[in-house]
Amino acid sequence: MRNWLIGVAASAAFVSGASAQADSKFRCKEGETYVMNVMVSGVEYWFPVYEAFKQAAQSMGCKTAYTGTPEYDVTKQIASFDQALAKNPAGILVHPMNSDPFIEPINRAVDSGVSVVTFAADSPNSKRASYVTSDNNREGSAAADMVAKALDGKGDYAVLENPGQDNHDKRVAAFIARMGEKYPGMKLVGRAATNQDPTKAYQAVQSLAQANPNLAALFMPEANSALGAAQASQELGGKIKVMTADVNAKILDMIKAGQVFGSVNPNQGIQGYMGFMLLFMAKHPDLIDPMNDWKRAGYNPMGVPFVDNGFAIVSKDNADDFYWDAYLKRRGTKGIEE
């Protein structure tokens, strides 16, 4: 009898919990779908972002989709954004390749009732509700500190960049500014646009090294360029310290092998998880009634101007903690395929 009563109580608790969950306002309606949209969709950086985006969505009974374009092309990304928008999702978490070209698409989405949140890069003049990212200025400064300290504050350095991509521009600018402010012995001797192309990065480093025989360090704001830069550095004797941002399996292997000096890596999981939560709240502004002028002013009360997801410095000491395949195996999911 005692075991039977325990069983009945447990069943009642389960049913009660399930009912409470079903009645919760923080649950999606049947078929409610949220989309993540990016450019260069095969870049590994996005995968952990989407994994945590899914994690948050699934905990609330919501569906998700991973979308974007494989090219580094803002026109093609906007086309993929519009394709996602045509399916009338509840919201879109988007990494806008360039800020201004995305103003009209984002505004059109919001005006149609689709909530929009940006991540990693922003379109601040659009109607997006919120922006979640790591602090790109802090990232650039931290990378400069790491490089300068390894060189005792003296040496020639160069940067590879992707002009026009907001978050990358901020990282590079902060890196250069930090060097100038704190390390007068560090000299900027060259800049080259590589646009996330390893071949362009390889060629740029070869040219920069030929023109500057004392080149001691390189910084680039993303991992693809680091692949080419590291190859060039190795062919030149391996004396040029390659400092990058973001990681993938190849970059991690290179860090462990000493071919890449280190990386600044945003906390992708928090970026994706908080990106979804901000998106859900933006879609459901009725869940809060704050004491402010939102009704009179006509803005979304759930809008949060900026959320900092944090970042880590990746070196030989902790590189093993950042492998996507090991993380996915632990999670037991299909990654971006679901």
Side-chain angles (χ1 to χ4, degrees):
M1 177 64 75
R2 180 174 179 272
N3 290 338
W4 180 81
L5 288 173
I6 292 173
V8 170
S11 297
F14 175 80
V15 171
S16 176
S19 176
Q21 188 180 51
D23 293 339
S24 172
K25 292 182 179 180
F26 287 89
R27 298 284 296 175
C28 278
K29 297 178 181 178
E30 183 68 28
E32 188 171 331
T33 303
Y34 292 84
V35 174
M36 183 170 140
N37 180 266
V38 298
M39 85 295 183
V40 198
S41 55
V43 169
E44 192 175 298
Y45 175 89
W46 312 123
F47 301 169
V49 179
Y50 182 65
E51 187 65 24
F53 182 79
K54 284 191 304 177
Q55 182 183 347
Q58 290 169 356
S59 71
M60 298 167 66
C62 311
K63 293 185 177 180
T64 62
Y66 181 77
T67 67
T69 178
E71 295 89 359
Y72 187 79
D73 185 316
V74 67
T75 301
K76 290 182 178 180
Q77 189 193 356
I78 289 173
S80 73
F81 180 92
D82 286 340
Q83 288 171 359
L85 181 60
K87 296 181 180 180
N88 195 33
I92 302 176
L93 179 68
V94 61
H95 173 92
M97 177 178 162
N98 301 123
S99 301
D100 290 346
F102 260 93
I103 294 174
E104 189 279 330
I106 290 175
N107 289 354
R108 181 159 34 85
V110 173
D111 290 342
S112 72
V114 176
S115 60
V116 177
V117 168
T118 55
F119 77 101
D122 195 17
S123 182
N125 295 319
S126 72
K127 294 181 180 179
R128 58 93 172 125
S130 303
Y131 174 40
V132 56
T133 189
S134 50
D135 188 326
N136 300 136
N137 294 319
R138 286 180 58 221
E139 287 175 338
S141 295
D145 288 342
M146 188 173 176
V147 170
K149 289 176 181 178
L151 295 173
D152 293 325
K154 298 178 182 179
D156 293 349
Y157 75 94
V159 296
L160 307 182
E161 51 195 329
N162 310 306
Q165 186 167 331
D166 180 61
N167 59 325
H168 290 182
D169 289 342
K170 288 179 179 178
R171 286 172 180 166
V172 170
F175 184 91
I176 294 172
R178 183 72 163 185
M179 287 296 197
E181 293 165 2
K182 193 171 181 180
Y183 307 103
M186 298 296 298
K187 180 182 177 182
L188 176 63
V189 296
R191 306 176 68 155
T194 54
N195 295 324
Q196 301 198 45
D197 187 325
T199 301
K200 289 182 179 179
Y202 171 85
Q203 294 169 344
V205 174
Q206 291 284 1
S207 297
L208 286 165
Q210 185 175 7
N212 304 279
N214 295 321
L215 184 64
L218 292 160
F219 175 67
M220 59 237 56
E222 38 73 35
N224 270 12
S225 293
L227 296 174
Q231 181 184 346
S233 173
Q234 290 303 299
E235 292 180 8
L236 293 166
K239 296 182 180 180
I240 302 173
K241 294 188 181 300
V242 177
M243 184 70 188
T244 187
D246 307 340
V247 296
N248 56 43
K250 290 182 179 178
I251 292 296
L252 292 168
D253 289 345
M254 288 179 167
I255 289 174
K256 291 171 68 174
Q259 297 167 349
V260 170
F261 178 60
S263 180
V264 177
N265 195 61
N267 190 332
Q268 296 139 291
I270 297 300
Q271 195 170 91
Y273 199 97
M274 291 305 300
F276 176 82
M277 297 304 295
L278 292 167
L279 203 54
F280 180 87
M281 292 193 302
K283 181 63 179 177
H284 298 279
D286 54 301
L287 293 176
I288 186 172
D289 182 16
M291 189 187 70
N292 58 31
D293 66 340
W294 70 272
K295 290 183 179 180
R296 186 189 306 275
Y299 64 86
N300 190 327
M302 300 301 272
V304 179
F306 170 68
V307 172
D308 186 344
N309 54 251
F311 67 91
I313 296 291
V314 184
S315 66
K316 288 183 179 181
D317 295 336
N318 62 354
D320 283 334
D321 296 332
F322 294 87
Y323 279 92
W324 164 247
D325 57 349
Y327 171 67
L328 193 60
K329 183 177 181 180
R330 174 167 63 83
R331 292 276 305 150
T333 77
K334 297 179 181 179
I336 62 171
E337 301 302 323
E338 61 178 25

